[in-house]
Amino acid sequence: MTDISPTPAAMPRTHGLSGSLLTESPLMKSRNAAEARFRSYGIAAIVVALLTLAIMLFTILRDGTSAFFQATLSYPVLIDGAIVDKGGKADPAEMAKVTTISYARLLGDSLIKHLADKGIAVEGMTPKEVTDMISKDAPARLRDQVLADPSLVGKTINVNAFVGGRIDGYMKGRLTRESSANDSNVTPRQLDMADKMIEAGILRSKFNWSFVTAPDASDLRPEAAGLGVALIGTLYMMFLVLIFTLPIGVAASIYLEEFAPKNWFTDLIEVNISNLAAVPSIVFGILGLAIFINFAGLPASAPLVGALVITLMTLPTIIIATRASIRAVPPSIRDAALGVGASKMQTVFHHVLPLAMPGILTGTILGLASAIGETGPLLLIGMVAFVTNYPAGPLDGGFLDPASALPVQVYSWASRSDPAFIERSSGAIIVLLILLVIMNVSAILLRRRFERRW
Amino acid sequence: MSFAKITVSALAIAAAATAANARDNVQMAGSSTVLPYATIVAEAFGENFSFPTPVVEGGGSGAGRKKLCEGVGANTIDIANSSSRISKSDVETCAKNGVTEIIEVRFGYDGIVFASDIKGAEFAFTAADWYAALGANVAKDGKIVPNANKTWADVNAKLPAQDILAFIPGTKHGTREVFDIKVLEAGCKATGAYDLFVAASTGADEKAKKADAGKQCLALRTDGVSVDIDGDYTETLARIDAAKNAIGVFGLSFYQNNTDKLRVATMEGVVPTTEAIAKGDYPVSRPLFFYVKKAHIGVIPGLKEYVTFFVSDDMAGPNGPLAAYGLVADPELAATQAMVEAETPMAPLK
């Protein structure tokens, strides 16, 4: 609080006798300088923050964008009935006995034949070196395709198969000829062949949707690994967290703000809610493991358990945000409602809650946005796992099927040994950031659209 | 009240979840060294069998075995992957929780290699060199003295005069156990420090003296020359990238996937390769295991099939995909296959 001196003359005049406002007294000078310094500190702080953000975004984008593109071989393959359907009955159950090993041979032989037809050859290259260039994932995809449509047997189809991770790395510049000389997983002849294939149009780098949709893959086939399962797991979890936190959080806040008596007990609850918001997330993971998995017997790795744990973690944040927005509704609204004869509950549900809703939604979305990147608690409930089966639909018990989550996928890819997983890890961060931006933008839009000022 | 409705339906979902206990996929957890092998097998299994793909978790050998021993039932895991053999205390915990029959499957060997930056000098180590470089107290002229070696040339005149800096796995890793026994302890004995420790020990009897000496052999110098890495090999690689004169400890398969960045050192004159390890020439190797809960066979669909598929020649054999990734195939794989077929539980540990 500033006290205004009753008379200007009462102000001590220690400097400058003239007292003109136009000439700077030494005191004035030092005050102005202090202000200028403070401003520059502020600007410096912002510059540092922005610079850090820019460096982070730059490195992530530099390392990660290449994950969305994948080198693909396309060439014709004759689906030979003698290999994939020995019985000749076109019976999928019978054909399922043929393993991916046979399909790998089919793909490899077709590639060798196609190269011979086109007259592409590299001196001294063995057939195995050629077939090793095809991703280990391709046979499985072809097998699924043929089993889904047995009428393909006997036909020649054009197959799009990923090329192995090393060749892809060569096309992306991750692997150079010099480094390949020391690399036991690729030979210089394979790189020569890749160059010739690119020239002939067999090998092309394409936008790779399957990075977003395909499930995770093992270390032998980094080129095929995708975020599908993790993305579904994260969406399931966020949906459940929303369903769990919103009613509980809003109910608790309304009660505490509008109905609860102010006494030592509600004070205690208030302090505890603030404390809970600051508890490290891993603690909730330990709690979740003990309660939901060991005691309640829920399955490990399930999005439901992940959602329950994250709910516990986000609830305090959401309660705090909700209470703040309920408190921001001016008392005059309540008084007016009560004045015209509304009951306490009618006041809350007809007037206070609708006015507080934009704030509540914003708080909830921001709470979810911070929860979406949470890895710690998921570590303990088995969601940091290799899962390649998509969880079922939400109505078919998909919430209980094993799934992964986006931040977990980042973590698990970052620790894999094949260098190709590094770009995928950064690519996963990009997808996670996009989700975050969508959530934050929608929070801002909601606030802009519905917020009322008094 | 839409809130009430939502809350009630949410609780209903949770209640339904408690009732649904059956599980149709195999679940396993454990060693991060075994993890890539398990994922490769799980992936191929899911592709070629009508069962869903098993779910593979990491977390470390010890954590996996602890989870295995939590009890029997669909909410406990079926298999624990482990890069070291199960301990007696684990087996006892298991038995206490009703997990009485465990099938021990050894599916191959893994080598531990010493590697440095690809542009750095070449190294030819012996276990004695490592002990002399990293041990807290070393033998010098028949006496125990605090380790004052600064460069590798101080340790062994044949090595390059490069500052000693080693990134070794942290104590929570199964790899550290092997490093302790096969490198430090072996080196301790080879340099004669072990005998001096025994002589200097104040233990009551011979046994206590030896145990005391064994412990002293594992004490590492604390002046920042030996750095414990608690993360994965990717972290070790990143640290070597930053400190080019460092030597790191890696799994053979990790090295084989990063041969363009790392230069491997020989150990006792042997280059680490899958062949050298299979023959037993390369000294620093260890068996890899997984432990199957027998009570779950026949209950969890696909469990027996997964285990059989894992140890089949197509997977764990010398020409299979696991060997391509860096696994050293077990010469006694046929015996393991027969054991898995007969579902023989492991004999009590001595």
Side-chain angles (χ1 to χ4, degrees):
Chain A
M1 240 185 266
T2 17
D3 290 318
I4 299 166
S5 314
T7 49
M11 279 185 50
R13 290 196 160 195
T14 43
H15 304 283
L17 292 168
S18 69
S20 163
L21 284 172
L22 297 174
T23 54
E24 248 184 0
S25 67
L27 176 65
M28 197 64 187
K29 215 175 199 168
S30 80
R31 279 166 57 187
N32 284 344
E35 189 178 322
R37 272 201 305 280
F38 181 73
R39 279 187 192 193
S40 59
Y41 294 155
I43 291 172
I46 288 173
V47 166
V48 167
L50 283 181
L51 214 60
T52 325
L53 181 70
I55 291 172
M56 190 192 83
L57 281 179
F58 171 74
T59 44
I60 290 171
L61 288 176
R62 184 195 59 194
D63 294 347
T65 32
S66 57
F68 292 89
F69 298 90
Q70 206 65 43
T72 313
L73 288 165
S74 59
Y75 60 99
V77 174
L78 170 68
I79 310 294
D80 191 350
I83 294 174
V84 301
D85 186 19
K86 286 186 186 115
K89 281 184 264 171
D91 173 19
E94 187 78 16
M95 285 162 68
K97 285 189 184 136
V98 181
T99 62
T100 46
I101 299 169
S102 304
Y103 281 89
R105 219 173 294 133
L106 181 67
L107 275 171
D109 291 347
S110 306
L111 180 61
I112 292 171
K113 189 170 159 289
H114 184 64
L115 291 176
D117 288 349
K118 287 235 171 188
I120 302 171
V122 170
E123 186 74 32
M125 193 169 183
T126 62
K128 190 177 178 301
E129 280 178 292
V130 177
T131 53
D132 278 352
M133 288 173 74
I134 308 170
S135 165
K136 305 263 183 308
D137 171 67
R141 289 193 187 200
L142 182 64
R143 182 172 179 267
D144 289 346
Q145 197 184 346
V146 172
L147 289 186
D149 182 10
S151 70
L152 292 176
V153 174
K155 285 184 195 153
T156 300
I157 57 169
N158 197 45
V159 168
N160 285 316
F162 285 141
V163 79
R166 296 292 158 131
I167 308 288
D168 180 58
Y170 171 63
M171 289 174 69
K172 285 171 182 164
R174 187 173 60 230
L175 186 114
T176 58
R177 271 172 194 276
E178 292 87 71
S179 69
S180 77
N182 297 313
D183 196 330
S184 49
N185 292 317
V186 67
T187 65
R189 286 183 294 278
Q190 286 178 328
L191 299 185
D192 292 338
M193 180 52 103
D195 286 339
K196 290 196 175 172
M197 281 176 168
I198 294 167
E199 231 169 84
I202 303 172
L203 183 57
R204 230 172 297 139
S205 197
K206 288 186 188 165
F207 188 79
N208 179 21
W209 267 113
S210 71
F211 175 64
V212 184
T213 57
D216 194 5
S218 75
D219 281 49
L220 278 183
R221 43 180 96 157
E223 61 279 356
L227 286 169
V229 174
L231 205 57
I232 294 179
T234 290
L235 292 180
Y236 276 11
M237 275 198 315
M238 287 305 119
F239 172 71
L240 289 175
V241 169
L242 186 68
I243 284 185
F244 292 150
T245 49
L246 203 56
I248 301 177
V250 169
S253 317
I254 289 178
Y255 180 76
L256 284 176
E257 263 323 301
E258 301 286 335
F259 295 96
K262 285 266 172 272
N263 56 22
W264 64 270
F265 188 67
T266 44
D267 283 348
L268 192 72
I269 291 179
E270 198 157 323
V271 169
N272 273 307
I273 288 174
S274 311
N275 276 341
L276 273 182
V279 167
S281 58
I282 192 93
V283 175
F284 290 104
I286 296 172
L287 186 78
L289 175 69
I291 294 179
F292 300 126
I293 294 183
N294 292 345
F295 177 70
L298 291 175
S301 316
L304 177 70
V305 182
L308 287 170
V309 169
I310 291 184
T311 300
L312 293 180
M313 211 192 76
T314 357
L315 255 183
T317 326
I318 288 183
I319 290 178
I320 291 169
T322 308
R323 289 186 66 181
S325 54
I326 289 177
R327 219 175 298 143
V329 176
S332 56
I333 303 269
R334 294 185 186 82
D335 295 343
L338 291 172
V340 294
S343 73
K344 185 95 183 166
M345 201 166 124
Q346 283 171 328
T347 309
V348 170
F349 283 99
H350 294 176
H351 301 282
V352 177
L353 199 57
L355 289 171
M357 220 46 194
I360 296 174
L361 288 180
T362 318
T364 308
I365 293 175
L366 292 180
L368 288 186
S370 75
I372 202 171
E374 211 41 77
T375 330
L378 303 183
L379 206 72
L380 287 157
I381 56 158
M383 287 196 81
V384 183
F386 177 77
V387 186
T388 61
N389 286 108
Y390 294 107
L395 296 176
D396 304 327
F399 294 138
L400 295 170
D401 284 348
S404 177
L406 276 179
V408 160
Q409 199 68 68
V410 172
Y411 167 75
S412 101
W413 280 348
S415 56
R416 301 258 182 107
S417 63
D418 197 298
F421 278 110
I422 295 169
E423 70 168 24
R424 303 198 103 70
S425 190
S426 297
I429 298 175
I430 293 177
V431 174
L432 188 61
L433 284 181
I434 290 173
L435 268 186
L436 275 176
V437 168
I438 291 175
M439 291 177 89
N440 287 334
V441 165
S442 59
I444 292 172
L445 287 182
L446 274 177
R447 198 162 52 205
R448 283 269 168 81
R449 180 92 176 72
F450 297 109
E451 192 180 44
R452 287 181 64 169
R453 289 180 187 282
W454 287 284
Chain B
M1 268 313 97
S2 63
F3 288 143
K5 256 188 214 161
I6 294 171
T7 319
V8 168
S9 49
L11 288 176
I13 293 174
T18 335
N21 241 344
R23 169 153 66 81
D24 59 359
N25 58 335
V26 176
Q27 290 199 335
M28 65 194 93
S31 166
S32 45
T33 310
V34 181
L35 184 75
Y37 300 117
T39 55
I40 289 167
V41 176
E43 189 173 63
F45 181 76
E47 271 167 19
N48 288 310
F49 287 75
S50 53
F51 301 105
T53 310
V55 172
V56 193
E57 255 187 88
S61 302
R65 295 195 304 245
K66 200 171 142 227
K67 272 187 154 180
L68 184 82
C69 291
E70 267 167 7
V72 176
N75 63 337
T76 59
I77 59 169
D78 312 311
I79 297 175
N81 296 322
S82 179
S83 59
S84 53
R85 199 154 186 228
I86 196 165
S87 68
K88 209 172 170 185
S89 68
D90 281 333
V91 175
E92 278 160 10
T93 325
C94 265
K96 209 168 67 199
N97 293 328
V99 187
T100 45
E101 287 187 306
I102 307 168
I103 303 175
E104 178 178 60
V105 183
R106 188 185 68 205
F107 63 92
Y109 292 85
D110 175 41
I112 290 168
V113 307
F114 303 91
S116 49
D117 190 73
I118 185 87
K119 295 195 185 80
E122 259 185 73
F123 282 91
F125 289 121
T126 63
D129 294 340
W130 274 92
Y131 184 73
L134 298 188
N137 296 297
V138 290
K140 199 173 184 189
D141 309 324
K143 265 195 236 95
I144 293 287
V145 292
N147 196 342
N149 292 326
K150 277 213 160 54
T151 70
W152 287 103
D154 294 344
V155 170
N156 181 343
K158 286 183 204 143
L159 291 173
Q162 180 174 320
D163 283 350
I164 300 172
L165 179 60
F167 295 129
I168 63 173
T171 43
K172 73 164 193 172
H173 286 279
T175 317
R176 175 61 174 270
E177 222 170 285
V178 186
F179 180 78
D180 278 351
I181 296 168
K182 298 264 168 94
V183 179
L184 289 179
E185 223 174 81
C188 187
K189 284 177 183 164
T191 52
Y194 180 78
D195 295 330
L196 293 171
F197 283 139
V198 172
S201 169
T202 52
D205 54 10
E206 200 62 13
K207 208 175 148 196
K209 278 186 180 180
K210 275 188 179 164
D212 191 30
K215 232 181 245 163
Q216 294 228 36
C217 281
L218 302 186
L220 296 179
R221 53 202 289 197
T222 48
D223 51 358
V225 160
S226 149
V227 182
D228 277 20
I229 303 283
D230 278 326
D232 295 282
Y233 295 136
T234 37
E235 189 189 335
T236 316
L237 181 65
R239 298 282 288 266
I240 287 190
D241 207 31
K244 304 271 187 209
N245 60 346
I247 315 279
V249 177
F250 297 95
L252 178 68
S253 56
F254 187 90
Y255 161 69
Q256 288 193 336
N257 275 293
N258 290 281
T259 40
D260 53 332
K261 296 188 198 80
L262 292 169
R263 180 193 293 282
V264 76
T266 62
M267 193 69 181
E268 315 283 352
V270 184
V271 180
T273 57
T274 46
E275 295 80 28
I277 294 165
K279 269 193 268 168
D281 292 344
Y282 186 75
V284 199
S285 70
R286 58 166 162 194
L288 298 177
F289 299 93
F290 60 88
Y291 293 90
V292 187
K293 205 179 279 176
K294 195 180 169 187
H296 283 191
I297 291 181
V299 179
I300 303 293
L303 178 57
K304 174 83 184 282
E305 287 81 357
Y306 169 80
V307 176
T308 313
F309 183 61
F310 199 132
V311 296
S312 66
D313 288 332
D314 282 346
M315 281 287 135
N319 298 317
L322 299 188
Y325 185 71
L327 179 77
V328 179
D330 190 342
E332 293 158 21
L333 196 60
T336 311
Q337 286 163 354
M339 190 271 293
V340 165
E341 198 43 53
E343 299 174 16
T344 324
M346 66 186 287
L349 286 172
K350 275 165 236 123

